[in-house]
Amino acid sequence: MEQLQAFILPIGLLVIFYFFAIRPQKKKEKEIKEMRSGLRVGDEVVTIGGIYGKIVKAKDDSLTLESGSAKTKLEVTRWAVGSVLNGSGDRNNSTDEKAE
């Protein structure tokens, strides 16, 4: 009986840790992956480096962003996009665009 009680506390802590740390992190990673895979030409994005730009060309793993008043073009990888300011990065908008 004492051996069983010795295992209950560590197992309980692992379960709590899973539900409060691991599970939310995996959910957030999945949402970011969906956002990055749903990027389309015309979306305004912010890179993880803080560069604001508009997508003018999209390839499999890279994007060409147009940034600034001089319309400077930058080529970045998809994983460099931190957030979408408008467009298909939002889960609801991406399903609407695919239906059109």
Side-chain angles (χ1 to χ4, degrees), residues 25-68:
Q25 180 66 27
K26 285 187 178 186
K27 184 178 178 183
K28 186 174 182 178
E29 287 175 9
K30 182 180 176 186
E31 290 173 357
I32 290 171
K33 187 176 180 181
E34 288 175 2
M35 178 269 298
R36 288 179 178 156
S37 65
L39 293 172
R40 305 279 183 256
V41 173
D43 289 348
E44 293 182 10
V45 297
V46 179
T47 66
I48 55 176
I51 298 172
Y52 287 78
K54 183 177 181 179
I55 299 174
V56 292
K57 187 166 43 168
K59 296 181 185 176
D60 289 339
D61 290 334
S62 66
L63 305 167
T64 303
L65 301 179
E66 191 174 75
S67 180

Side-chain angles (χ1 to χ4, degrees), residues 8-99:
I8 290 176
L9 183 61
I11 291 173
L13 289 174
L14 286 174
V15 169
I16 291 170
F17 184 73
Y18 174 78
F19 279 106
F20 286 106
I22 297 171
R23 190 169 175 238
Q25 180 66 27
K26 285 187 178 186
K27 184 178 178 183
K28 186 174 182 178
E29 287 175 9
K30 182 180 176 186
E31 290 173 357
I32 290 171
K33 187 176 180 181
E34 288 175 2
M35 178 269 298
R36 288 179 178 156
S37 65
L39 293 172
R40 305 279 183 256
V41 173
D43 289 348
E44 293 182 10
V45 297
V46 179
T47 66
I48 55 176
I51 298 172
Y52 287 78
K54 183 177 181 179
I55 299 174
V56 292
K57 187 166 43 168
K59 296 181 185 176
D60 289 339
D61 290 334
S62 66
L63 305 167
T64 303
L65 301 179
E66 191 174 75
S67 180
S69 60
K71 299 193 184 260
T72 305
K73 293 189 175 161
L74 305 165
E75 189 166 351
V76 299
T77 58
R78 282 188 184 265
W79 65 263
V81 175
S83 63
V84 178
L85 299 176
N86 71 342
S88 64
D90 197 359
R91 194 183 286 185
N92 295 333
N93 290 342
S94 64
T95 55
D96 294 342
E97 277 193 10
K98 289 177 185 172

